[in-house]
């Protein structure tokens, strides 16, 4: 009976690893020619995705989203502000995306990540243009007081498709958001009601008598794809993004309406057929993400 050659297997693994490091594009193209990726996924399949609500106890709404190893933590804090004269009956949303050095070896301490402001702008534009949130629901007293929702998203692990995971965490945080109780004090100012006073008789007149949730509509979800030659790779890892540089991000809402299409350069042109294929992949991905969101919300209600 033959004995397995452990040294031979180890040598073979080292050769494959060396080839991958020295010729990464050729290594990936060998897999693509067989319609498979190094992580064993088919080209059009996204990584395993999870969503947890209420990840930050001190926030008014929060969520932890994971797509593969890519991990995002989103938290919302609500503050009372004076609405603008142009929109006296509307509140506002401010979004900041953070990439601390722990999220990736390419992010250096003391140096802001180049991708952070770009993703912040993408998130703001997407949430605004989708119509997911009716800003009038954030109004308290017309022309005098409204809510400012500060949404901060922290990238804990940057392993590709950062915008997709950030958007999912933002949607989760707004789904979990509970708008706090506020009242008018003797000076006519809006003040937050503390947890200790919650549910007891208030001396001041409450503006909203109980915590409430926002009504979310046309919820946006996204899918980032890589275009490489005639191949389309859904939900790329950081390694795939660094090797094959042409990215396309499609955002659809829960009714499959196109919210945005984003292609930040790259050597490959986005032909009509490729765009249609990306939209088709996104349409299926939206269904999967909506199911994950619904199941997560249902789980919170049961608990």
């Amino acid at each position: 009976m033959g004995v397995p050659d452990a040294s031979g297997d180890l040598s073979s693994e080292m050769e494959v690893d060396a080839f991958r490091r020295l010729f990464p594009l050729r290594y990936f193209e060998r897999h693509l020619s067989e319609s498979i990726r190094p992580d064993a996924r088919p080209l059009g399949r996204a990584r395993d995705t999870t969503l947890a609500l209420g990840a930050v106890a001190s926030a008014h709404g929060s969520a932890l989203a994971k797509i593969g190893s890519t991990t995002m933590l989103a938290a919302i804090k609500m503050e009372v502000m004076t609405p603008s004269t142009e929109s006296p009956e509307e509140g506002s949303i401010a979004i900041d995306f953070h990439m601390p050095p722990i999220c990736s070896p390419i992010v250096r301490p003391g140096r802001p990540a180049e991708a952070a402001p770009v993703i912040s702008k993408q998130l703001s534009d997407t949430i605004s243009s989708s119509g997911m949130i009716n800003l009038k629901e954030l109004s308290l007293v017309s022309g005098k007081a409204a809510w400012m929702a500060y949404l901060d998203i922290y990238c804990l692990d940057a392993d590709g498709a950062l915008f997709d995971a950030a958007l999912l965490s933002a949607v989760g945080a707004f789904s979990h958001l509970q708008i706090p109780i506020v009242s008018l004090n003797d000076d006519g100012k809006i003040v937050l009601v503390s947890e200790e006073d919650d549910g007891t008789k208030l001396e001041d007149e409450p503006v909203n008598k109980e915590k409430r949730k926002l009504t979310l509509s046309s919820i946006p979800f996204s899918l980032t794809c890589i275009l490489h030659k005639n191949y389309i790779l859904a939900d790329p890892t950081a390694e795939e993004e660094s090797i094959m540089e042409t990215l396309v991000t499609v955002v659809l809402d829960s009714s499959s309406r196109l919210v945005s299409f984003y292609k930040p350069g790259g050597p490959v042109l986005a032909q009509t057929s490729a765009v249609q294929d990306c939209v088709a992949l996104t349409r299926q991905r939206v269904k999967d993400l909506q199911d994950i969101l619904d199941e997560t919300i249902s789980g919170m209600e049961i608990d």
Side-chain angles (χ1 to χ4, degrees):
M1 184 175 179
V3 178
D5 186 358
S7 61
D9 292 342
L10 180 60
S11 175
S12 178
E13 289 179 10
M14 292 177 64
E15 289 177 3
V16 171
D17 186 60
F19 182 77
R20 182 173 187 166
R21 291 174 180 274
L22 293 172
F23 308 102
L25 183 57
R26 287 174 57 189
Y27 175 82
F28 271 87
E29 286 181 339
R30 285 191 177 185
H31 287 81
L32 298 183
S33 64
E34 299 179 9
S35 298
I36 198 73
R37 292 151 84 167
D39 60 7
R41 281 187 293 156
L43 304 190
R45 180 180 297 173
R47 292 167 290 176
D48 291 342
T49 302
T50 60
L51 180 66
L53 305 184
V56 182
S58 59
H60 294 119
S62 60
L64 181 71
K66 293 191 68 174
I67 299 178
S69 294
T70 300
T71 307
M72 299 287 171
L73 178 65
I76 301 172
K77 290 292 285 187
M78 306 293 288
E79 289 190 7
V80 178
M81 65 156 196
T82 302
S84 66
T85 54
E86 294 81 10
S87 305
E89 296 184 354
E90 293 183 356
S92 298
I93 299 171
I95 300 175
D96 274 321
F97 180 77
H98 309 270
M99 293 185 68
I102 61 168
C103 76
S104 169
I106 66 172
V107 179
R108 300 299 182 186
R111 299 180 184 178
E114 294 181 2
V118 176
I119 294 177
S120 290
K121 183 67 166 58
Q122 270 187 278
L123 290 167
S124 297
D125 292 345
T126 298
I127 290 175
S128 174
S129 60
S130 68
M132 177 178 75
I133 297 171
N134 181 1
L135 295 179
K136 290 185 177 180
E137 282 196 46
L138 298 177
S139 178
L140 289 168
V141 179
S142 179
K144 295 183 178 180
W147 287 112
M148 168 68 85
Y150 291 97
L151 171 62
D152 287 284
I153 301 175
Y154 293 87
C155 179
L156 304 182
D157 193 337
D159 188 25
L162 303 188
F163 176 78
D164 299 346
L167 181 59
L168 179 60
S169 71
V171 168
F174 278 114
S175 299
H176 178 253
L177 173 64
Q178 286 192 320
I179 298 178
I181 301 172
V182 293
S183 64
L184 282 170
N185 65 12
D186 295 337
D187 298 328
K189 295 182 179 179
I190 300 288
V191 293
L192 285 173
V193 176
S194 65
E195 293 291 334
E196 290 76 12
D197 293 331
D198 191 1
T200 65
K201 182 176 178 58
L202 298 171
E203 295 180 2
D204 301 323
E205 180 64 25
V207 176
N208 56 311
K209 297 183 178 180
E210 59 183 15
K211 291 182 179 180
R212 61 183 177 87
K213 302 182 79 66
L214 287 175
T215 302
L216 303 184
S217 59
S218 303
I219 297 175
F221 298 103
S222 64
L223 178 66
T224 296
C225 298
I226 280 180
L227 305 182
H228 181 70
K229 295 183 177 179
N230 295 322
Y231 303 109
I232 298 176
L233 287 73
D235 181 29
T237 63
E239 183 182 18
E240 290 171 336
E241 289 181 354
S242 67
I243 296 168
M244 298 168 280
E245 298 175 349
T246 303
L247 297 177
V248 168
T249 300
V250 181
V251 183
L252 302 178
D253 66 16
S254 45
S255 301
S256 293
R257 178 179 65 92
L258 180 65
V259 176
S260 68
F261 180 87
Y262 182 68
K263 180 181 180 293
V268 179
L269 295 176
Q271 304 291 346
T272 302
S273 59
V275 171
Q276 291 174 339
D277 290 341
C278 289
V279 171
L281 288 171
T282 306
R283 191 174 290 116
Q284 180 57 51
R285 178 64 169 160
V286 167
K287 293 178 182 178
D288 296 339
L289 292 175
Q290 184 68 62
D291 288 343
I292 290 171
L293 178 63
D294 292 342
E295 290 174 6
T296 305
I297 293 173
S298 298
M300 284 285 293
E301 292 173 350
I302 292 173
D303 294 340

